[in-house]
Amino acid sequence: MSPSSSIEDFERVLRKSENIVVVAGAGLSAASGIPTFRDAGGLWRGHDPATLATPSAFAANPSLVWQFYHKRRGVALAAQPNPGHFALAMLCEPAHLRVVAPRAKSFTLVTQNVDGLSMRARKDVHKRQVERGSAGSGDVASPHPLYEMHGRVLDTICTACGHREHNGSSPLCPSLGDASLENADNAQSIALEDLPRCAQCGGLLRPGVVWFEEVPHHMDQIQERVDAADLCMVVGTSSTVQPAAGYAYDVGENGGTVAVFNLQRSEGDEYADFLFLGPCEDTLPRILLNL
């Protein structure tokens, strides 16, 4: 049976759902100008980006890897959350969630993106909620959890002492701010001592993202939420791509409902209960918040 595209039927499911999990991917941030990791299959200065996103690549050539992530940091810094981010951020707020899903006991947003836009949207929505709450009566509840399972490109981790911090500086060090780096067709060699260093111990910093060969963050907490979920929304990512496919499969196998929000059809959509095609920045506010 083909998945349904009935908004009314989905809203009825949403109103009855008690434990909701959302798994978001690159399509959520497309309207914010964040390209997909591989940039539609393109190369970066002759390199496959996937070959640069490993611990072994960083150990072998930290200069090359840092130049690649310097570019990605710049894109993330220039981007702003879009209406899709804000629609999901609204549901992280208990007061808003009760309106669209009055039986919901939990709402969990899991993002595979490293741009930090979902967190920025959630903080902005919660700040506005607190401001409105402070003017009225009662305390404002803490928002439901958001798990950035692949880390954030604007975070740094010290390879010596392990210190992690958010750092929005650009460039992180003078050598990465060299204009010739941006204009060069090929990556240049930057001396190890001139790469980003830890403010705590002086050790070499690395980007605060989860690379291939590394374990994503919060896996136990996410799986616990998935196991309890009766509704899984897959947003802006193929339902065949891990981990979204695994989480959606688990919810479906447990008798829950799976709804896919994506720009276009992808392999595996036929196994979903609902499929809503179109830009996430349009479909999410319209379907989830009636905007």
Side-chain angles (χ1 to χ4, degrees):
M1 181 182 296
S2 299
S4 171
S5 60
S6 168
I7 296 176
E8 292 78 12
D9 288 347
F10 174 74
E11 288 176 340
R12 279 193 284 270
V13 170
L14 188 59
R15 286 195 294 270
K16 294 189 298 183
S17 297
E18 296 185 356
N19 297 290
I20 304 166
V21 170
V22 177
V23 184
L28 177 61
S29 293
S32 297
I34 304 290
T36 61
F37 177 73
R38 291 178 177 82
D39 195 18
L43 300 177
W44 177 80
R45 296 180 180 176
H47 297 273
D48 179 353
T51 66
L52 303 177
T54 67
S56 54
F58 186 74
N61 195 337
S63 170
L64 177 67
V65 173
W66 257 123
Q67 288 175 68
F68 172 64
Y69 279 95
H70 171 66
K71 180 70 174 179
R72 296 191 73 197
R73 284 173 56 86
V75 173
L77 281 168
Q80 296 295 326
N82 65 60
H85 293 111
F86 284 112
L88 295 177
M90 293 274 285
L91 297 190
C92 285
E93 291 294 326
H96 290 296
L97 182 64
R98 282 194 293 270
V99 175
V100 297
R103 297 187 187 178
K105 301 172 183 175
S106 70
F107 178 87
T108 306
L109 174 54
V110 179
T111 180
Q112 302 172 87
N113 300 331
V114 299
D115 49 50
L117 295 179
S118 288
M119 183 63 79
R120 286 171 56 187
R122 194 186 77 158
K123 288 181 177 178
D124 186 62
V125 168
H126 186 64
K127 179 181 178 181
R128 295 201 301 266
Q129 182 76 0
V130 169
E131 289 171 348
R132 284 195 293 267
S134 63
S137 61
D139 295 329
V140 176
S142 298
H144 291 287
L146 163 59
Y147 294 117
E148 296 172 300
M149 65 184 308
H150 292 155
R152 277 183 266 180
V153 73
L154 295 178
D155 286 357
T156 58
I157 305 171
C158 179
T159 59
C161 71
H163 177 70
R164 174 190 289 270
E165 69 177 10
H166 177 77
N167 191 328
S169 300
S170 184
L172 279 173
C173 61
S175 61
L176 288 174
D178 189 339
S180 65
L181 295 179
E182 293 295 327
N183 299 326
D185 293 329
N186 299 308
Q188 300 182 31
S189 178
I190 300 175
L192 190 63
E193 61 269 19
D194 293 330
L195 290 172
R197 315 300 296 192
C198 177
Q200 303 290 320
C201 73
L204 176 66
L205 295 178
R206 57 159 281 182
V209 299
V210 175
W211 282 326
F212 296 111
E213 305 172 8
E214 295 180 327
V215 178
H217 302 314
H218 316 296
M219 294 298 285
D220 290 343
Q221 296 97 316
I222 293 171
Q223 191 62 56
E224 182 179 347
R225 295 277 178 152
V226 167
D227 290 341
D230 53 6
L231 172 61
C232 177
M233 293 188 286
V234 180
V235 175
T237 182
S238 168
S239 53
T240 62
V241 173
Q242 296 293 347
Y247 294 150
Y249 176 83
D250 288 347
V251 173
E253 282 293 289
N254 290 335
T257 300
V258 175
V260 175
F261 296 74
N262 223 342
L263 184 61
Q264 56 192 9
R265 291 296 302 258
S266 61
E267 183 181 352
D269 287 343
E270 64 270 19
Y271 300 110
D273 299 289
F274 292 92
L275 175 63
F276 301 106
L277 297 178
C280 294
E281 65 274 15
D282 294 335
T283 57
L284 290 175
R286 176 166 52 88
I287 296 173
L288 298 179
L289 302 177
N290 293 314
L291 297 179

